[in-house]
Amino acid sequence: MKKNKEQTMNVLVLAKSAKNHELCVAGIDLDTNKLVRLVADESGKEIKKTDFKMDDEEVQVFDKITIKCTPAPLKIQTENVILNKIDKIAEHYDADKADKIFKEKNQAQLGNDLTRMKKQLKQLQDAEQAIIDQLNS
């Protein structure tokens, strides 16, 4: 199996939510305009709250961060990258500035990514329902 190399990425954090008492984090790679999901490992595990800090400062939505990461695409979550380290919190954007940057970044690409993720989510939900139906029959 091919091992992905660590890379540096500039990310604008767009979403941070609780998942299994830890964090689910999504953002946009500001260099490629692609959506990314920050994960803890190759299985797509949520990020520990303690790993989403720098110098005791918690990363917030609309923070621009520079990270070291390793691509870890899954079949249904190709946007996954393993968060290895936060190098710096470069800037915190207010909502208007974040919105402007978000709009400036290839909206078509983002729309395509969102459509693909919605389709993948639907496939997962359908597969889950099929398993539940099979177990109940």
Side-chain angles (χ1 to χ4, degrees):
M1 182 174 164
K2 182 181 163 189
K3 190 80 171 162
N4 289 317
K5 289 188 175 185
E6 184 175 74
Q7 60 191 44
T8 300
M9 187 179 288
N10 294 302
V11 175
L12 175 60
V13 177
L14 297 176
K16 180 177 86 168
S17 60
K19 178 181 177 188
N20 299 324
H21 305 288
E22 298 297 350
L23 297 174
C24 181
V25 180
I28 182 170
D29 177 343
L30 294 171
D31 299 318
T32 66
N33 303 330
K34 293 189 177 195
L35 288 175
V36 293
R37 178 183 288 118
L38 306 181
V39 297
D41 61 27
E42 291 178 348
S43 71
K45 189 172 178 153
E46 59 278 353
I47 297 171
K48 292 182 187 224
K49 292 177 183 178
T50 55
D51 292 339
F52 208 54
K53 293 182 177 184
M54 181 167 186
D55 301 327
D56 291 329
E57 181 182 353
E58 187 175 340
V59 177
Q60 300 296 323
V61 171
F62 300 146
D63 279 352
K64 177 185 174 188
I65 59 175
T66 301
I67 63 171
K68 293 277 193 276
C69 62
T70 307
L74 296 174
K75 184 177 181 181
I76 59 167
Q77 295 174 331
T78 58
E79 66 281 358
N80 285 5
V81 295
I82 298 170
L83 174 64
N84 299 326
K85 179 183 180 223
I86 298 173
D87 283 336
K88 69 179 176 179
I89 300 174
E91 188 175 354
H92 179 77
Y93 296 158
D94 63 26
D96 289 337
K97 185 172 181 181
D99 185 56
K100 181 180 178 192
I101 288 172
F102 185 78
K103 286 178 181 176
E104 288 173 357
K105 295 294 178 182
N106 193 340
Q107 288 185 341
Q109 178 64 47
L110 293 173
N112 289 339
D113 287 348
L114 287 171
T115 300
R116 179 182 46 78
M117 286 192 281
K118 286 178 184 178
K119 181 179 177 184
Q120 291 169 342
L121 178 60
K122 175 74 169 117
Q123 289 171 341
L124 281 174
Q125 290 170 332
D126 290 348
E128 180 182 34
Q129 187 60 50
I131 291 169
I132 290 169
D133 292 347
Q134 188 177 17
L135 290 173
N136 290 331
S137 62

